[in-house]
Amino acid sequence: AFLEDEIRVKSSFDKAKEQNLPLLQSDLSYSGHYVVICGVSRDKNDINIANMNSQIDDSETYSYCLVIKNPGIWKETQFVTPSLFEASWRAKGTDEDIILVAKHF
């Protein structure tokens, strides 16, 4: 079922792009129904980008940022601070679900 949804969503985005429809919503408070955490980055450039993207008054300094894929926007990946991720995850109106996937060797 997930693969079917993934194909359907990608097809919708491809059609919108072909028709030159905007793929980024002007209301940045909502940018998709889920995000995938793809990894953690300790790269200083990625951390700087995450700090610039953060709209949260955050005095905490992090030595890492989260790498995410948000199917609600066109960017391949994004970098976010842990504070921004947590605030988004716990925002009013969200159900705070999380799904963990582990690969066993």
Side-chain angles (χ1 to χ4, degrees):
F2 178 79
L3 182 58
E4 292 170 2
D5 284 344
E6 182 181 21
I7 292 169
R8 179 184 53 77
V9 169
K10 183 178 182 330
S11 174
S12 294
F13 278 104
D14 289 344
K15 287 177 185 175
K17 192 173 184 179
E18 288 171 6
Q19 296 174 14
N20 292 322
L21 297 174
L23 297 178
L24 180 62
Q25 298 176 359
S26 61
D27 178 8
L28 296 178
S29 63
Y30 178 80
S31 58
H33 64 284
Y34 69 91
V35 296
V36 177
I37 301 175
C38 303
V40 174
S41 176
R42 295 187 184 277
D43 182 274
K44 289 181 182 181
N45 290 328
D46 296 345
I47 295 168
N48 287 335
I49 292 169
N51 286 328
M52 288 188 305
N53 288 336
S54 182
Q55 299 171 355
I56 294 178
D57 291 331
D58 192 1
S59 60
E60 191 166 352
T61 303
Y62 295 99
S63 60
Y64 68 95
C65 65
L66 300 173
V67 182
I68 65 167
K69 174 61 181 157
N70 181 348
I73 66 169
W74 60 270
K75 291 182 180 179
E76 200 61 33
T77 56
Q78 291 179 279
F79 304 102
V80 297
T81 62
S83 294
L84 178 59
F85 179 82
E86 175 124 10
S88 300
W89 177 37
R90 298 190 185 280
K92 183 179 179 185
T94 65
D95 54 14
E96 298 184 29
D97 285 352
I98 189 165
I99 299 171
L100 301 174
V101 179
K103 182 176 181 180
H104 296 280
F105 294 95

